[in-house]
Amino acid sequence: MPVTELMLKPEPLTKEAFMPFGDVIEAENRDYFMINNGSTRRYHKLATTQVDEGSGVIINIFQATPLSYPLHIMMLERHPKGSQAFMPLLGNDYLVVVAPPGEAPDPGSIRAFHAKGSQGVNYHLGVWHHPVLALTPNDQFLVVDREGAGNNCDEFFFSEQTRVILAPNF
């Protein structure tokens, strides 16, 4: 059986490009209003947490190590019971790989993004994505996630005939 190879080149992370997969969490070019007697800008409701009934929302810190590139993407995961948000804490750029919701990720619809260290992402419920892709050793991310009964992480492993390669331009 022939091998299908797909090369992913990360594109800049923008609100418009990422909209089918979730929210971009950033202050740049966003509306705000002043609070705290005029000393603070509030960039309100940049993302919305999604959880199923009976679940809660928790906040975590993930510490991640870079992988080697080009990277053979062998699996994607999704969270069917809640959204998952990542916000870089140390201001370092990172990569994002996503595919639209569905029973299984379609290799032809996978997209890669280069996120600036000032941008977070909120994966909507059911969106396929690669686990965190740090570019800096010991990078840290604030993660807003679902807590509750039931499995909230499905993993999909691509067959040996499907090779998805993430090849950043750096």
Side-chain angles (χ1 to χ4, degrees):
M1 182 173 269
V3 173
T4 301
E5 185 166 290
L6 303 163
M7 295 295 287
L8 297 176
K9 299 286 185 189
E11 59 188 277
L13 181 64
T14 65
K15 178 182 174 183
E16 295 75 23
F18 198 71
M19 198 172 294
F21 311 105
D23 309 300
V24 174
I25 305 168
E26 66 181 335
E28 189 174 321
N29 299 319
R30 295 293 183 83
D31 292 334
Y32 63 89
F33 55 91
M34 299 304 291
I35 60 171
N36 298 335
N37 296 316
S39 67
T40 305
R41 289 182 181 184
R42 179 174 175 154
Y43 296 89
H44 186 71
K45 200 173 181 181
L46 299 176
T48 302
T49 304
Q50 303 167 322
V51 293
D52 60 354
E53 189 173 330
S55 297
V57 177
I58 58 174
I59 298 173
N60 313 282
I61 292 178
F62 288 12
Q63 185 165 326
T65 301
L67 302 174
S68 297
Y69 298 96
L71 177 67
H72 178 192
I73 304 288
M74 298 169 63
M75 75 80 109
L76 295 178
E77 65 181 29
R78 69 176 175 181
H79 304 286
K81 296 179 175 285
S83 58
Q84 189 179 48
F86 287 79
M87 191 70 201
L89 291 177
L90 304 179
N92 298 315
D93 290 6
Y94 61 103
L95 299 175
V96 174
V97 172
V98 290
E103 195 58 37
D106 170 18
S109 67
I110 298 173
R111 292 177 66 187
F113 296 94
H114 185 142
K116 296 183 285 188
S118 60
Q119 296 176 303
V121 294
N122 182 45
Y123 301 119
H124 283 178
L125 192 140
V127 167
W128 291 101
H129 62 277
H130 193 278
V132 65
L133 290 166
L135 296 174
T136 305
N138 300 312
D139 209 356
Q140 293 185 354
F141 297 82
L142 182 78
V143 180
V144 179
D145 208 352
R146 172 205 175 264
E147 178 181 54
N151 178 35
N152 190 36
C153 186
D154 297 332
E155 295 178 335
F156 180 87
F157 290 86
F158 293 101
S159 73
E160 291 182 16
Q161 283 70 41
T162 302
R163 290 184 46 86
V164 179
I165 308 297
L166 175 59
N169 298 328
F170 40 73

